[in-house]
Amino acid sequence: MSKWLLPENLADILPAEARRIEELRRELLDLYRSHGFELVAPPLVEYLDSLLSGSGSDLNLRTCKLVDQLSGRTLGVRADITPQVSRIDAHLLNRTGVTRLCYCGTVLHARPADLLSDRELLQIGAEVFGHEGVEADIQIIQMALESVQRAGVPRPRLDLGHPGIFRAIVAADPALAEIEAELSECVAAKDQSGIQALCAQAGQVRRDLVEALLTLPGLYGGVSVLERALRSLPSLPAIQKAVHDMQTLIQALPDYDFSVDLADIGTGYAYHTGVVFAVYAQGWHNAVVRGGRYDGVGKAFGRARPATGFSLDLRKLSSGLEPAPLATAIQAPWGTDAALIQAIRKLREAGEIVVQVLPGQSHSLDEFNIDRELVLSNGRWQVESVV
């Protein structure tokens, strides 16, 4: 086997692309800082029971495990940073008011999410803790949209869902609660025959709730779906609040294209409790950004705080953009002449890229376009265009 081969769904990133990803990382972290978000950096590896607390089985399947040589306990290589940030808010910071945190780091998936996805992601995101109102969701979605716009994503489209609607229906009948996991899979797949079969097996299930579950797969499309939901779903307080929150959110963001899918309840790691969203755009086979509300994840760490946030993969974001442009650079000869060294230093301090050619060597560059050179003319070092 060739030593240079990488495992499946893992890839190197070459110079121009790597530079753009790094520039995106810096720009987005600065954006979040300008909104008052504080940067945290959780470890790549944690004890497995801490890493998976409150996150559900989906994340467990994506997490790579290993044995800690010091303690003998099982460790996990993180597959998602959100639970780690929840731990920091609940256990380490332990604040009483609103906390805004952002992060950026590598995550590893045991298996790719789909055939076109990588297993190694550079995940960046932002989270708001301590506010249960829809205002925090609006702020998070605004930042998610601004993130992709800063990257140059054309015409992003926002898809909204709310798993709380499905859970409110299930919670209204104990017979449904016993088959919740199977029902959620059928609803997410829009499998009405599967829903009917499960409800029939469950026994005496309220007929209006069965009708509601069968209605959910058809509640997708434009924002008018929310009005249809109010008319066709049971008048449960949790359902009415969920729909009104989504309407408020849409009204607060009038300049964006929205779609609604109330059966989209299976895209997260099973910890989402309120409004969930995904940002799509032409050029990406799947969502560019995912996020939503996940109240209570911090309960495993001693504090059940309201929380909402989003994350995206910078490598995936960059891959769908136009090829990364080359940066212009200046070529300079090698030498120890004080005047030459001073001229190069001044150019670099002014923000120029200066590449010194080593003696007897040519260079091959993927990231830079040499369009000027530093030459000695009339006893002075000066920049001239490359002919």
Side-chain angles (χ1 to χ4, degrees), residues 24-40 100-104 122-128 139-151 288-289 309-314 317:
L24 283 171
R25 184 190 71 85
R26 295 179 188 180
E27 181 169 3
L28 294 187
L29 287 179
D30 286 344
L31 168 66
Y32 306 155
R33 181 180 176 85
S34 73
H35 283 72
F37 284 72
E38 300 170 278
L39 181 64
V40 294
R100 296 177 176 87
L101 300 176
C102 63
Y103 59 85
C104 184
L122 183 56
Q123 186 177 350
I124 190 170
E127 320 288 334
V128 176
Q139 183 181 46
I140 279 294
I141 292 177
Q142 286 174 327
M143 284 184 49
L145 290 166
E146 188 170 354
S147 295
V148 297
Q149 289 172 326
R150 290 283 187 98
V288 186
V289 184
F310 72 89
S311 66
L312 60 96
D313 175 17
L314 285 176
L317 176 64

Side-chain angles (χ1 to χ4, degrees), residues 134-180:
V134 71
E135 298 83 4
D137 299 295
I138 292 170
Q139 183 181 46
I140 279 294
I141 292 177
Q142 286 174 327
M143 284 184 49
L145 290 166
E146 188 170 354
S147 295
V148 297
Q149 289 172 326
R150 290 283 187 98
V153 175
R155 298 182 298 279
R157 177 177 58 83
L158 197 63
D159 186 63
L160 291 180
H162 201 305
I165 294 176
F166 166 77
R167 289 174 183 156
I169 296 170
V170 170
D173 192 322
L176 291 176
E178 295 180 2
I179 55 171
E180 180 176 0

Side-chain angles (χ1 to χ4, degrees), residues 90-273:
H91 182 63
L92 297 180
L93 296 179
N94 200 27
R95 298 171 180 171
T96 57
V98 171
T99 298
R100 296 177 176 87
L101 300 176
C102 63
Y103 59 85
C104 184
T106 297
V107 301
L108 179 66
H109 289 175
R111 295 178 178 273
D114 52 59
L115 292 176
L116 300 178
S117 294
D118 290 329
R119 293 166 58 195
E120 181 185 3
L121 289 64
L122 183 56
Q123 186 177 350
I124 190 170
E127 320 288 334
V128 176
F129 299 94
H131 186 78
E132 61 183 359
V134 71
E135 298 83 4
D137 299 295
I138 292 170
Q139 183 181 46
I140 279 294
I141 292 177
Q142 286 174 327
M143 284 184 49
L145 290 166
E146 188 170 354
S147 295
V148 297
Q149 289 172 326
R150 290 283 187 98
V153 175
R155 298 182 298 279
R157 177 177 58 83
L158 197 63
D159 186 63
L160 291 180
H162 201 305
I165 294 176
F166 166 77
R167 289 174 183 156
I169 296 170
V170 170
D173 192 322
L176 291 176
E178 295 180 2
I179 55 171
E180 180 176 0
E182 297 90 341
L183 273 176
S184 67
E185 293 178 3
C186 289
V187 170
K190 295 180 169 54
D191 179 6
Q192 290 183 312
S193 61
I195 294 171
Q196 285 181 317
L198 284 170
C199 291
Q201 294 171 12
Q204 297 296 322
V205 180
R206 282 173 45 184
R207 186 60 198 169
D208 62 325
L209 299 180
V210 175
E211 290 296 331
L213 290 170
L214 293 171
T215 300
L216 276 182
L219 291 176
Y220 66 91
V223 295
S224 61
V225 164
L226 297 177
E227 289 295 339
R228 287 201 287 128
L230 288 176
R231 293 194 302 268
S232 58
L233 296 179
S235 297
L236 299 172
I239 291 178
Q240 293 185 328
K241 182 182 184 304
V243 173
H244 289 312
D245 282 350
M246 296 175 75
Q247 290 175 324
T248 300
L249 193 154
I250 291 170
Q251 291 168 2
L253 300 168
D255 299 325
Y256 296 98
D257 294 328
F258 284 90
S259 60
V260 176
D261 187 352
L262 298 186
D264 186 5
I265 59 175
T267 57
Y269 289 125
Y271 52 57
H272 285 122
T273 59

Side-chain angles (χ1 to χ4, degrees), residues 3 8 26 41 46 48 66-67 87 99 126 131 133 164 248 250 258 260 327 332 351 369 381:
K3 295 187 187 324
E8 290 186 41
R26 295 179 188 180
E46 286 195 41
L48 190 63
L66 63 153
V67 176
R87 173 181 56 76
T99 298
H131 186 78
T248 300
I250 291 170
F258 284 90
V260 176
N369 173 35
W381 291 99

